[in-house]
């Protein structure tokens, strides 16, 4: 309880300083404790200044539920995709099912990606599934949210070899090196920063976030995981996003309200094809 109170006090202090509206560029409102306690969490997020939340489906079993969240809440925009953790569980018709939902709804593609940190490595399958979804994003001109762990060089190679790329690409919860930031920006990526930077021992993340160009910078909760310091790790929620903004601003030598406004504008541009993004921008 002490951790949660600490987090909300941090959000309150930022709001009191005039922090503009925030956009949570990546979360999973269908997972963990949020699945059964969503409405109170949404109220807390709105009270903390979060005006748009980008919720990502990760496998066929949650796509329609996530899509329903977007339909029933004007401040939730939706992305749907097959996460690398669930590649081995996919059905034979997974891509056709995903394409049907993408074709019929204003959604992004995500969360998709590469994860070479898994105990059971299936790199070839992961890459096939990833590229199939990237091609889907190109065909339907949708923004893509990408997960990457210990595969940043390979990801850059795959994207660099594509003849055509999606209009917008995001590396969420960026965990790569600061040297790779300009490499990914040159490829067209936005870089999203999460609460890992609130941990002073995480020098890698804290160094990398400073190198992101202002027009490529996003912030996210990645809730319910990766909570800020002082909050139970799996009890994260969008209401804690001001804590990420506060630390990010400090590390970059900027004012929190400037970081909040810039990242919100970037996110609305990124998700402008989605109903939630359009509604939030109006």
């Amino acid at each position: 309880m002490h951790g949660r109170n600490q987090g909300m006090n941090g959000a309150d202090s930022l709001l009191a300083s005039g922090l503009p509206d925030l956009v949570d560029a990546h979360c999973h409102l269908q997972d963990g404790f949020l699945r059964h306690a969503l409405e109170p969490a949404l109220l807390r997020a709105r009270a903390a200044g979060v005006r748009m939340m980008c919720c990502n489906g990760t496998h066929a079993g949650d796509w329609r539920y996530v899509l329903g969240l977007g339909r029933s809440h004007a401040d939730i925009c939706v992305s749907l995709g097959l996460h690398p953790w669930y590649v081995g569980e996919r059905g034979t018709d997974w891509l056709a099912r995903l394409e049907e939902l993408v074709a019929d709804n204003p959604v992004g593609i995500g969360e998709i990606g590469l994860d070479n940190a898994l105990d059971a490595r299936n790199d070839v399958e992961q890459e096939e599934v990833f590229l199939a979804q990237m091609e889907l994003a190109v065909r339907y001109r949708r923004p893509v949210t990408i997960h990457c762990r210990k595969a940043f060089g390979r990801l850059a190679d795959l994207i660099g070899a594509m003849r055509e790329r999606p209009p917008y690409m995001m590396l969420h919860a960026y965990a790569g090196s600061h040297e790779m930031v300009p490499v990914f920006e040159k490829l067209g990526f936005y870089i999203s920063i999460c609460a890992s930077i609130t941990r002073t021992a995480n020098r890698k993340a804290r160094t990398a976030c400073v190198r992101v160009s202002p027009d490529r910078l996003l912030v996210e909760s990645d809730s319910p995981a990766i909570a800020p310091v002082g909050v139970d790790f799996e009890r994260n929620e969008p209401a804690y996003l001001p804590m990420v903004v506060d630390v990010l601003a400090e590390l970059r030598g900027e004012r929190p309200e400037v970081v909040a406004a810039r990242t919100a504008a970037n996110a609305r541009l990124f998700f402008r094809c989605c109903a939630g993004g359009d509604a939030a921008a109006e």
Side-chain angles (χ1 to χ4, degrees):
M1 290 299 294
H2 175 72
R4 295 179 65 79
N5 289 337
Q6 177 182 352
M8 293 310 296
N9 288 339
D12 290 345
S13 67
L14 285 175
L15 286 171
S17 69
L19 191 68
D21 292 346
L22 293 160
V23 174
D24 186 347
H26 183 91
C27 59
H28 298 280
L29 302 175
Q30 76 278 23
D31 288 343
F33 81 99
L34 292 172
R35 179 78 177 228
H36 305 291
L38 181 58
E39 293 305 322
L42 293 179
L43 291 175
R44 290 191 293 270
R46 294 161 187 155
V50 181
R51 297 292 175 257
M52 175 176 159
M53 292 157 275
C54 306
C55 184
N56 284 240
T58 56
H59 55 82
D62 73 7
W63 291 341
R64 290 196 176 276
Y65 179 83
V66 171
L67 188 59
L69 293 180
R71 288 173 173 169
S72 58
H73 298 84
D75 52 358
I76 297 177
C77 71
V78 168
S79 291
L80 304 175
L82 183 59
H83 191 287
W85 293 355
Y86 304 108
V87 163
E89 303 170 15
R90 71 191 187 281
T92 57
D93 63 343
W94 74 272
L95 186 58
R97 294 174 63 186
L98 178 59
E99 181 168 5
E100 180 181 3
L101 294 174
V102 170
D104 292 343
N105 298 279
V107 299
I109 306 293
E111 178 179 354
I112 69 175
L114 305 176
D115 196 322
N116 286 354
L118 297 178
D119 292 334
R121 293 282 292 270
N122 55 348
D123 299 4
V124 173
E125 278 188 285
Q126 281 191 32
E127 290 185 10
E128 290 176 353
V129 168
F130 173 69
L131 290 174
Q133 293 178 99
M134 290 295 285
E135 292 170 4
L136 194 65
V138 168
R139 190 156 66 250
Y140 288 92
R141 306 298 298 167
R142 301 299 173 84
V144 180
T145 298
I146 296 175
H147 164 108
C148 188
R149 287 200 307 170
K150 297 187 177 181
F152 291 98
R154 182 56 178 163
L155 176 63
D157 290 343
L158 289 174
I159 299 300
M162 293 184 69
R163 295 180 61 183
E164 187 177 359
R165 298 169 194 159
Y168 295 94
M169 299 179 291
M170 175 205 309
L171 267 172
H172 101 87
Y174 184 68
S177 68
H178 71 89
E179 292 92 348
M180 288 297 291
V181 168
V183 173
F184 284 115
E185 288 189 352
K186 187 175 181 180
L187 289 169
F189 276 92
Y190 287 69
I191 308 292
S192 186
I193 307 301
C194 70
S196 61
I197 64 169
T198 67
R199 291 167 174 78
T200 56
N202 194 337
R203 296 180 181 178
K204 187 176 183 181
R206 289 165 69 90
T207 302
C209 72
V210 176
R211 291 204 66 180
V212 181
S213 300
D215 63 342
R216 294 285 165 173
L217 185 63
L218 299 169
V219 290
E220 64 174 271
S221 68
D222 199 17
S223 51
I226 316 184
V229 167
V231 180
D232 291 345
F233 192 78
E234 294 292 337
R235 297 287 297 186
N236 196 13
E237 57 183 274
Y240 295 131
L241 191 62
M243 299 174 72
V244 178
V245 171
D246 191 31
V247 174
L248 181 59
E250 181 181 0
L251 292 171
R252 291 173 65 90
E254 300 174 354
R255 298 194 313 276
E257 59 267 26
V258 171
V259 173
R262 181 184 298 131
T263 55
N266 290 345
R268 289 189 171 104
L269 176 64
F270 188 96
F271 289 106
R272 64 181 177 177
C273 80
C274 304
D278 290 341
E282 292 174 357

